[in-house]
Amino acid sequence: MNLLGKVALVTGAGTGIGKGIAIELAKQGAKVGIHYHSSDAGAKDTQQRISELNGESFIVKANVMRKEEIDHMVKTVADYFGGIDILVNNAALQLNVELFDYEDEAYDHVMQTNLKGYWQCIQAVIPYMKEKGSGRIINISSVHGKRPTDFDPVYAMTKGGIKMLVRESAIELAKYGITVNEIEPGAVDVGKGKRSEPRDAEEKAKRNAELRWKFPLGRVGLPADIGHMAAYIASDQTEFMTGASVRLDGGSMLL
Amino acid sequence: MTLHGKVVFMTNADDNSGETLIKRLADEGAHFILNSVSDGKDIQESLAYCQSQGVKTTVVNVDLSKSSEVKTMLERVAPQIGTVDVFIHNTNVVIPTSVETCDEETFLKVMDRNTKSAFICTKEVGKQMAEKESGRIIYISSIHAEKPTGSSFVYSVSRGALKLLARESALYLGRYGVNVNAIELGPIDGDDEKFTSHISKLYDDYQYKVPSTRLGNDDDLADLVLYLASDHARYINGADIRLDGGFLLHYMDHKMKKPTVRSESHPS
């Protein structure tokens, strides 16, 4: 229980990677603010899973495109649990639109959610972390902060921007005892694609062999993988780590 | 004449580097569409030079962060000058900002001018280039796509995003025979004041952090822009080229080639 007594806010915690992170932080003893925007049922499920671990959580809804909603979200969680020690920026959008078809409004939507939203969430938690003289800000980026996506140019741009947001925040906020880092996940199975169970051992072996062509470690990433890393970065063991980018992709970017 | 008859579209022609870039490319036979916020007033010398050399120029002044404006402008000027062969994004707006205190308006202003304009222009000139199955897109970015400034965080964020735009469009437009690259320009004269920081001493004695101690200038930039625009650079795509004389290579204790301070006394 590395995070006993700590308060964490995880954005986009109703689904996928965010859900995995919220659960792992709770396993380590953190009280978790579960943010969501559209997945009401997902947020409730995350809360349920945390309750089953005898953990404490609190659900808060906000549109991270709007500063006033971000400020309200942070204040609500801080008031409820008494401060904020850990922010996990995770809520992000990706569209599947090619460069030539990208409309200005879509650009703004992705840019303001993924990049401006990350910055304004950081800005909003600073006063609480400053007060305690410590804090952990963990940003979920992507391997697409390095490698283009070929499906959404603006998504990649936001991830490229996050890298510099992390580095700038790291040097600026160090004086308050706040560390700022990013995790760059590769492909993560968030349970969206329909994937039937292998019929038999032979088919399972065949599928695993195919996966090794994409992931040297022989499997796709899981939300819990990202959650374990986030929980580690959130712990007291990483006090000398800031402005770092951790690629977490099963080696997939190397192939 | 490396760029004989090519049409170059450049943003922020009023920039300090504009004059050198325009002259260099004009000498190689390029024609220009120049976006100028001063409506050409601040680039009179360059325009006069182009005229004396028989180079065609069209000065425009549109909001490059709006697709409709860029598209309409490109369609309007095409009959006189042609479609774009080389696009140079030369917009580097630096406004001192801290993560803790910056307001939303400033964040969006810097991002729109530095990044969104590059995206919109890439999309619109990209369509023209795709049609011709050839073209060059060059972003004049900064070493602050890698190194934080400690004084203007939105600027670095805008450059970090531009790096990925270069890679993304290099892949997408590469399939149409278009090359997209970014120049990550390092310190030139005046940058010490541009990035004065209470956190980072990056720019203290900055000229001596360039191993040769010779600071870069607009000619260094123009040479690389011309090279990337030329056929010599046909296999360079999606690259971010650090153009800083080695400035970013230091770690902590620099063995700078700083001249030793001479004693005032004169031993006999």
Side-chain angles (χ1 to χ4, degrees):
Chain A
M1 297 283 254
N2 277 332
L3 304 176
L4 209 57
K6 304 275 189 195
V7 177
L9 168 61
V10 182
T11 67
T15 56
I17 291 175
K19 183 191 285 287
I21 292 169
I23 292 167
E24 292 305 322
L25 295 181
K27 273 189 194 164
Q28 294 301 321
K31 298 171 204 166
V32 181
I34 300 167
H35 157 265
Y36 79 99
H37 179 230
S38 51
S39 45
D40 183 22
K44 284 181 182 140
D45 176 67
T46 305
Q47 181 160 58
Q48 173 64 29
R49 307 252 313 256
I50 290 175
S51 301
E52 286 163 11
L53 300 162
N54 296 318
E56 268 187 84
S57 66
F58 180 81
I59 295 177
V60 58
K61 181 181 178 173
N63 178 354
V64 293
M65 271 182 79
R66 299 187 204 291
K67 180 176 164 51
E68 61 276 13
E69 294 195 29
I70 289 173
D71 290 345
H72 183 257
M73 160 180 78
V74 168
K75 188 178 183 310
T76 309
V77 172
D79 287 351
Y80 186 82
F81 286 128
I84 291 188
D85 302 286
I86 301 154
L87 166 69
V88 182
N89 266 326
N90 168 71
L93 274 178
Q94 80 183 43
L95 308 175
N96 290 304
V97 180
E98 293 190 354
L99 176 67
F100 286 166
D101 302 324
Y102 231 102
E103 295 189 354
D104 295 11
E105 296 70 26
Y107 176 98
D108 290 337
H109 195 193
V110 175
M111 193 52 81
Q112 298 204 17
T113 303
N114 297 12
L115 190 51
K116 193 194 76 182
Y118 271 35
W119 160 56
Q120 289 183 327
C121 285
I122 292 175
Q123 201 172 42
V125 299
I126 292 171
Y128 299 98
M129 295 184 176
K130 235 170 124 171
E131 202 181 305
K132 294 198 180 186
S134 71
R136 292 276 185 271
I137 297 174
I138 302 163
N139 299 278
I140 306 307
S141 182
S142 165
V143 289
H144 298 302
K146 294 189 172 101
R147 194 70 63 82
T149 61
D150 219 7
F151 57 75
D152 183 341
V154 184
Y155 179 81
M157 290 170 73
T158 64
K159 297 306 182 184
I162 286 167
K163 187 174 300 298
M164 292 316 297
L165 174 65
V166 165
R167 292 179 186 177
E168 289 279 5
S169 305
I171 62 172
E172 185 184 322
L173 305 180
K175 61 179 181 283
Y176 303 136
I178 300 171
T179 67
V180 188
N181 295 288
E182 67 173 343
I183 302 173
E184 302 172 311
V188 170
D189 182 357
V190 294
K192 269 185 189 164
K194 41 178 196 275
R195 205 169 278 108
S196 59
E197 285 299 308
R199 276 172 316 207
D200 48 36
E202 195 188 341
E203 191 183 324
K204 192 176 176 187
K206 197 179 155 211
R207 281 198 200 177
N208 287 347
E210 279 166 9
L211 272 173
R212 277 197 196 277
W213 291 107
K214 289 183 177 173
F215 300 87
L217 290 174
R219 67 170 176 86
V220 70
L222 295 170
D225 292 316
I226 315 306
H228 291 139
M229 181 54 68
Y232 171 64
I233 297 175
S235 77
D236 290 338
Q237 292 169 335
T238 61
E239 63 177 24
F240 200 56
M241 174 182 182
T242 198
S245 308
V246 180
R247 178 169 53 80
L248 194 57
D249 67 343
S252 59
M253 215 173 91
L254 304 176
L255 294 181
Chain B
M1 298 272 265
T2 309
L3 301 177
H4 186 68
K6 299 281 187 194
V7 176
V8 174
F9 170 33
M10 186 161 84
T11 72
N12 196 25
D14 304 270
D15 188 82
N16 290 336
S17 61
E19 194 178 336
T20 311
L21 289 171
I22 292 166
K23 186 168 182 300
R24 178 68 51 88
L25 302 177
D27 287 345
E28 294 295 332
H31 302 296
F32 295 94
I33 302 165
L34 300 169
N35 202 63
S36 161
V37 284
S38 71
D39 280 315
K41 283 187 206 75
D42 294 348
I43 53 169
Q44 285 304 321
E45 277 182 38
S46 300
L47 295 175
Y49 182 80
C50 287
Q51 200 177 14
S52 73
Q53 301 301 109
V55 164
K56 284 191 274 184
T57 53
T58 301
V59 175
V60 296
N61 181 6
V62 299
D63 182 347
L64 300 175
S65 63
K66 291 193 170 68
S67 289
S68 57
E69 287 205 24
V70 175
K71 187 172 191 283
T72 308
M73 179 275 288
L74 290 174
E75 282 167 1
R76 181 167 54 79
V77 302
Q80 321 144 31
I81 201 156
T83 54
V84 179
D85 298 297
V86 178
F87 170 59
I88 302 170
H89 187 266
N90 189 26
T91 311
N92 279 271
V93 177
V94 179
I95 298 177
T97 42
S98 80
V99 173
E100 188 175 1
T101 60
C102 182
D103 59 81
E104 175 160 331
E105 196 189 338
T106 308
F107 181 91
L108 290 177
K109 180 177 164 188
V110 175
M111 289 302 293
D112 283 359
R113 298 222 18 222
N114 285 350
T115 306
K116 191 178 181 184
S117 64
F119 179 80
I120 301 283
C121 291
T122 298
K123 177 176 67 160
E124 297 304 332
V125 302
K127 288 174 187 170
Q128 292 191 338
M129 292 172 177
E131 193 97 346
K132 296 191 271 195
E133 298 207 324
S134 84
R136 292 293 158 83
I137 293 177
I138 301 160
Y139 305 133
I140 299 174
S141 182
S142 158
I143 50 169
H144 297 297
E146 288 284 342
K147 188 84 157 178
T149 60
S151 60
S152 302
F153 92 96
V154 193
Y155 180 67
S156 332
V157 169
S158 77
R159 304 297 75 174
L162 190 60
K163 187 196 284 282
L164 267 292
L165 175 62
R167 293 181 187 176
E168 196 77 49
S169 18
L171 187 61
Y172 184 78
L173 295 173
R175 297 184 183 118
Y176 297 96
V178 179
N179 295 21
V180 188
N181 294 290
I183 298 172
E184 296 185 348
L185 184 63
I188 55 169
D189 253 334
D191 279 359
D192 53 336
E193 285 166 32
K194 197 161 39 172
F195 296 110
T196 302
S197 166
H198 301 297
I199 302 167
S200 167
K201 286 190 168 184
L202 183 65
Y203 283 92
D204 285 12
D205 293 321
Y206 70 131
Q207 63 272 42
Y208 300 113
K209 291 178 183 171
V210 177
S212 72
T213 73
R214 189 190 72 84
L215 271 180
N217 57 35
D218 295 335
D219 285 315
D220 295 311
L221 176 63
D223 282 339
L224 182 53
V225 168
L226 176 61
Y227 177 70
L228 289 175
S230 78
D231 191 49
H232 296 298
R234 61 195 168 269
Y235 203 49
I236 303 182
N237 190 25
D240 30 51
I241 301 172
R242 179 167 51 76
L243 183 67
D244 72 344
F247 178 74
L248 271 201
L249 300 176
H250 289 289
Y251 175 66
M252 306 233 304
D253 184 26
H254 334 280
K255 290 182 189 164
M256 288 185 280
K257 242 168 86 178
K258 196 175 172 182
T260 43
V261 183
R262 290 229 178 86
S263 161
E264 287 298 310
S265 60
H266 299 275
S268 55

